[in-house]
Amino acid sequence: MNNRMMTLKKLAELSNFSVSTVSKALTDNPEISKPTKNKIKKLAELYNYIPNITAKNLKEQKTRNIGVIIPNILAHFFAKVLVGIEKEASKQGYHIITCISDESYDKEVKSIEMLANGSVDGLIISISKGTFIKKNYKHIQSIIDRGLPVIQFDRVIDEIITDKIVIDDFKSSYNATTTLIDSSCKNLAFVTPIHNTSVGTRRLQGFQKAINKASNIESSKLFVIDDYKIFAKDFQGYLQSDTIDGVLASDELSAICAMNLIIGLGLKVPEDISVIGFTDGILSENSNPPLTTVNQHGQELGLLAVKQLVNRINQNSEEYKTTIMNTSLIKRKSTCK
Amino acid sequence: MNNRMMTLKKLAELSNFSVSTVSKALTDNPEISKPTKNKIKKLAELYNYIPNITAKNLKEQKTRNIGVIIPNILAHFFAKVLVGIEKEASKQGYHIITCISDESYDKEVKSIEMLANGSVDGLIISISKGTFIKKNYKHIQSIIDRGLPVIQFDRVIDEIITDKIVIDDFKSSYNATTTLIDSSCKNLAFVTPIHNTSVGTRRLQGFQKAINKASNIESSKLFVIDDYKIFAKDFQGYLQSDTIDGVLASDELSAICAMNLIIGLGLKVPEDISVIGFTDGILSENSNPPLTTVNQHGQELGLLAVKQLVNRINQNSEEYKTTIMNTSLIKRKSTCK
DNA sequence: CTGTTAGCGCATTCAT
DNA sequence: ATGAATGCGCTAACAG
């Protein structure tokens, strides 16, 4: 904003009408006569008048901004969700203010504080790993108590009551595991870098359920990734001493890493070991061999989140609901058959 | 914003002080006495008072928002830049409002219009492919004329005078090509999906310059990608009838695609064909073989962009300058030696 | 040390 | 059909 900016007041002086007449003329209020409207509109056009959005926001007690907090924009899934959010928000006339928590509790708290001072009309959030580990959710609850509409997606805190949009992690994981088992894998491994999150937990449960239900499983092994280098050593060590013929990973990157480690040992994917990952991203599509993945439909998820949030902003009446999105298994060459 | 929100006015009534006294007390103005400050601060704490940022912004004629327009968040480079932008902006107390142009001129125009109504104090932009093709830059110039500070990065329009941050595309490309030539590649191909952009043009020029300077080049071939499927056919067709022993791609994804096409034909990377890409992202790091790439240091670029923009917001005096960022070639296994 | 007043730019109610 | 007055929530110059 600078002194070049045209305002209603200046326009009023220039046109010899009052501020309120100018305001009404520009919003096509029927109280104002045609000729007056025309004069004023022409003048506004000439001087490139643009209504000051901040003043409007103050007057109307809203911002037309949506806050978005995601753990990691470099993960394809979150990037895709963001694309969906941006598209729908833009369509509905909302800006999005993006904060990246970088999986850190502290950054998440700070971001929320920065957003909850009236900067946004609502918030879409996926919880950071750090917060799950810390198990401290006060920062989320406090903004809800303050009356800010919140939508949680993907990584959600069950105890915090808001609208939620998740995928059916348990079922997706169960189905993916079953796919491995059906292609006669008997020695399975579950690889996860998000062990502490809601999502990670459910995916592991789905994996275990499928294994328990199957009759001919010989072994199963859990690899929790904190550090990829340590994981590489552990995983390859295990491969050399034990048998694995099927891997399910709870995200995309760890699936690709596992596959590369397998290939690095001279083993074949999928002939020796089948691999399935979560999130259908650029990595999965372009790996060699291309990776069979659980498609989480991130973009639609983002779209839905905005729709639900805008709904909630406009009418705060409905029951809070959890939407479970379908996934689909995209079969590529990292699995047999 | 809702009626639950505490305001200075309500706080004034509750405390029996005037609004201005309350305001001053809460900003630790030395005019106010210790006991009064304490009383008021305690009350503010008790009622969970948070200053309304919109009102503050209106008063101070600024938004503490930075607009960011990028062509495609799914490209690792832009995601990385965004990470840098978010980090530095957050550090400096700015929000970022992210718009994705999706390489479209129309969306870029619309985004700029949505941002330039006082929603942001400044803008960081990388131009869309569509805009380069259309060669219509009025929407950019108009916001600059209106006095909004703008930083262009990576894909920049030379004719539009703003601060710019770019990488040395020509030199990076020249060096990468030279690396191929030095490892005795004689039949080179340049693969590019961004042929129309400033960046794409300069990278091609660097490639050509290196070829012209070399003495023993036997052939060189340009592949412009509009559609990846068509490219796949063309490229593999060429591979089958002609010789290529070195590929430089102007971005990450096309490099990976080229490599996969090569491997798909039973050829070996790097033994038969060396491949180098631009942008050091997740794809390059995790491909098989891992890809030699030009690292563009996206995060630092984002950081710098914010620093420069904030500088420009605070003092509109300096000369406009173009910062050229260094790149580095990360050698991995897709090239010989 | 505290309060009164004004004003940021806009929309709107209430006169005229 | 037009204008005056009010208020959104905040800061700050000025008065006392």
Side-chain angles (χ1 to χ4, degrees):
Chain A
M1 192 69 27
N2 50 45
N3 43 12
R4 266 176 274 195
M5 291 307 282
M6 191 46 57
T7 65
L8 288 184
K9 200 175 165 187
K10 289 189 204 164
L11 232 37
E13 283 165 13
L14 286 164
S15 66
N16 282 324
F17 285 102
S18 73
V19 172
S20 63
T21 301
V22 174
S23 171
K24 285 172 189 167
L26 291 176
T27 52
D28 249 334
N29 189 313
E31 287 178 4
I32 308 297
S33 73
K34 268 265 159 63
T36 305
K37 272 187 191 171
N38 284 340
K39 261 186 251 168
I40 292 178
K41 280 184 179 175
K42 212 178 286 175
L43 210 66
E45 172 91 356
L46 178 66
Y47 284 98
N48 231 305
Y49 170 74
I50 296 167
N52 180 309
I53 196 82
T54 306
K56 206 173 188 176
N57 287 344
L58 177 60
K59 177 75 185 167
E60 295 176 0
Q61 300 287 66
K62 64 182 185 194
T63 66
R64 291 238 147 220
N65 287 155
I66 289 175
V68 179
I69 302 183
I70 49 180
N72 172 18
I73 187 77
L74 297 177
H76 199 89
F77 170 65
F78 288 118
K80 254 181 164 167
V81 174
L82 194 62
V83 169
I85 290 177
E86 200 275 340
K87 249 187 203 148
E88 182 64 19
S90 163
K91 194 168 145 195
Q92 304 231 17
Y94 281 84
H95 287 310
I96 61 168
I97 296 183
T98 311
C99 295
I100 302 169
S101 68
D102 205 13
E103 301 288 10
S104 140
Y105 168 80
D106 290 336
K107 182 77 199 309
E108 191 176 283
V109 171
K110 204 186 141 207
S111 296
I112 286 190
E113 273 171 10
M114 275 191 72
L115 290 176
N117 58 359
S119 292
V120 297
D121 295 338
L123 184 65
I124 297 174
I125 185 170
S126 189
I127 308 296
S128 75
K129 244 193 268 185
T131 302
F132 279 109
I133 292 172
K134 196 142 188 161
K135 290 188 169 55
N136 184 342
Y137 313 135
K138 276 187 216 142
H139 55 304
I140 316 276
Q141 191 59 56
S142 93
I143 56 164
I144 294 168
D145 294 343
R146 252 185 260 157
L148 193 75
V150 173
I151 310 275
Q152 297 187 70
F153 77 91
D154 194 56
R155 307 232 208 112
V156 303
I157 300 165
D158 292 332
E159 300 94 295
I160 303 270
I161 297 164
T162 65
D163 292 310
K164 291 168 191 153
I165 306 178
V166 295
I167 70 159
D168 195 339
D169 294 291
F170 180 87
K171 197 172 110 192
S172 309
S173 183
Y174 178 89
N175 289 345
T177 310
T178 303
T179 301
L180 288 173
I181 295 173
D182 287 350
S183 69
S184 71
C185 293
K186 292 182 176 53
N187 299 280
L188 298 178
F190 186 78
V191 175
T192 178
I194 48 170
H195 189 239
N196 303 291
T197 68
S198 58
V199 166
T201 306
R202 283 180 202 135
R203 290 181 192 169
L204 177 57
Q205 287 166 350
F207 174 77
Q208 287 168 332
K209 177 71 181 281
I211 284 182
N212 291 338
K213 205 169 170 190
S215 53
N216 50 353
I217 295 298
E218 290 169 1
S219 75
S220 79
K221 170 81 178 168
L222 171 65
F223 291 92
V224 173
I225 303 181
D226 283 320
D227 176 308
Y228 272 92
K229 281 189 186 147
I230 297 173
F231 164 66
K233 206 179 276 179
D234 288 355
F235 189 66
Q236 287 199 329
Y238 188 86
L239 281 174
Q240 283 165 331
S241 60
D242 299 76
T243 306
I244 295 180
D245 49 22
V247 174
L248 176 62
S250 70
D251 79 329
E252 181 174 44
L253 182 55
S254 62
I256 296 291
C257 286
M259 194 162 74
N260 284 337
L261 291 169
I262 291 167
I263 293 171
L265 286 180
L267 297 164
K268 299 262 181 214
V269 175
E271 291 81 354
D272 298 321
I273 305 180
S274 292
V275 181
I276 298 182
F278 263 77
T279 301
D280 182 43
I282 287 188
L283 270 175
S284 308
E285 204 176 338
N286 294 284
S287 62
N288 197 351
L291 187 68
T292 296
T293 54
V294 177
N295 185 357
Q296 300 174 77
H297 306 289
Q299 195 163 327
E300 291 93 282
L301 197 161
L303 230 106
L304 198 63
V306 172
K307 279 189 182 156
Q308 212 149 313
L309 181 59
V310 170
N311 222 28
R312 183 64 68 184
I313 290 171
N314 294 333
Q315 44 175 51
N316 209 344
S317 49
E318 300 164 42
E319 286 286 296
Y320 291 99
K321 69 176 175 222
T322 295
T323 308
I324 298 176
M325 304 219 18
N326 279 326
T327 60
S328 49
L329 191 68
I330 299 181
K331 295 205 183 182
R332 299 209 182 88
K333 304 212 170 142
S334 69
T335 46
C336 298
K337 280 193 216 167
Chain B
M1 192 71 25
N2 51 43
N3 43 12
R4 265 176 276 194
M5 290 306 284
M6 191 46 57
T7 65
L8 287 184
K9 201 174 165 188
K10 289 189 205 163
L11 232 38
E13 283 164 12
L14 286 164
S15 66
N16 283 321
F17 285 102
S18 73
V19 172
S20 66
T21 301
V22 174
S23 169
K24 285 173 188 165
L26 292 175
T27 52
D28 249 334
N29 189 313
E31 286 177 3
I32 309 297
S33 73
K34 268 265 159 63
T36 305
K37 271 187 193 171
N38 284 339
K39 261 185 251 171
I40 293 178
K41 281 184 180 174
K42 213 178 283 176
L43 210 66
E45 174 91 357
L46 179 65
Y47 285 98
N48 233 306
Y49 169 74
I50 296 167
N52 179 308
I53 196 80
T54 307
K56 205 173 184 175
N57 287 345
L58 177 60
K59 178 73 186 166
E60 294 176 2
Q61 301 286 68
K62 61 183 186 191
T63 66
R64 292 237 144 222
N65 286 156
I66 290 175
V68 179
I69 302 183
I70 49 180
N72 171 17
I73 187 78
L74 297 177
H76 199 88
F77 171 65
F78 288 118
K80 252 180 167 169
V81 174
L82 193 63
V83 169
I85 290 177
E86 200 274 341
K87 248 187 203 149
E88 183 65 20
S90 162
K91 194 167 143 196
Q92 302 232 17
Y94 281 84
H95 287 310
I96 60 168
I97 296 183
T98 310
C99 295
I100 301 169
S101 67
D102 206 12
E103 301 288 9
S104 141
Y105 167 81
D106 289 337
K107 181 75 199 308
E108 191 176 284
V109 171
K110 204 185 140 209
S111 296
I112 286 190
E113 272 171 11
M114 274 191 71
L115 290 176
N117 59 358
S119 292
V120 297
D121 295 339
L123 184 65
I124 297 174
I125 185 170
S126 190
I127 308 296
S128 76
K129 247 194 264 184
T131 301
F132 278 109
I133 293 171
K134 195 142 189 160
K135 290 189 170 53
N136 184 341
Y137 313 136
K138 277 187 217 142
H139 55 303
I140 316 274
Q141 191 59 56
S142 94
I143 55 164
I144 294 169
D145 293 344
R146 250 185 261 157
L148 192 75
V150 172
I151 310 275
Q152 296 187 72
F153 78 90
D154 195 54
R155 309 232 207 112
V156 302
I157 300 165
D158 291 333
E159 300 93 296
I160 304 269
I161 296 165
T162 66
D163 291 310
K164 291 167 190 154
I165 307 179
V166 296
I167 68 159
D168 195 338
D169 293 292
F170 180 87
K171 196 172 112 191
S172 308
S173 183
Y174 178 89
N175 288 345
T177 309
T178 304
T179 301
L180 289 174
I181 295 173
D182 287 350
S183 70
S184 70
C185 295
K186 292 182 175 48
N187 298 280
L188 298 177
F190 187 78
V191 174
T192 178
I194 48 170
H195 189 236
N196 304 291
T197 67
S198 58
V199 166
T201 307
R202 283 180 202 137
R203 288 179 194 171
L204 177 56
Q205 287 165 350
F207 174 76
Q208 286 167 331
K209 176 70 182 280
I211 284 183
N212 292 339
K213 206 169 169 189
S215 53
N216 49 355
I217 296 298
E218 290 168 2
S219 76
S220 80
K221 170 80 178 168
L222 171 65
F223 291 92
V224 174
I225 304 180
D226 282 321
D227 176 307
Y228 272 94
K229 279 184 188 152
I230 297 174
F231 165 66
K233 206 178 280 180
D234 288 355
F235 189 66
Q236 286 199 330
Y238 189 86
L239 281 174
Q240 284 165 331
S241 60
D242 299 75
T243 306
I244 294 181
D245 51 21
V247 173
L248 176 61
S250 71
D251 80 328
E252 181 173 43
L253 183 55
S254 63
I256 297 291
C257 286
M259 193 159 76
N260 284 338
L261 291 169
I262 291 167
I263 293 171
L265 286 180
L267 297 165
K268 299 263 180 211
V269 174
E271 291 81 353
D272 300 321
I273 305 180
S274 292
V275 181
I276 299 182
F278 263 78
T279 301
D280 182 44
I282 287 187
L283 271 175
S284 307
E285 205 176 337
N286 294 285
S287 63
N288 197 354
L291 187 68
T292 296
T293 54
V294 177
N295 185 355
Q296 300 173 78
H297 306 291
Q299 194 162 327
E300 291 93 282
L301 198 161
L303 231 106
L304 198 62
V306 172
K307 278 189 184 159
Q308 212 149 314
L309 181 59
V310 171
N311 222 28
R312 182 66 67 185
I313 289 171
N314 294 333
Q315 43 174 56
N316 209 346
S317 49
E318 299 164 44
E319 286 287 297
Y320 291 100
K321 67 177 176 222
T322 295
T323 308
I324 298 175
M325 303 219 17
N326 279 325
T327 61
S328 48
L329 192 69
I330 300 182
K331 296 205 184 181
R332 300 210 181 88
K333 304 216 170 135
S334 70
T335 46
C336 299
K337 281 191 209 166

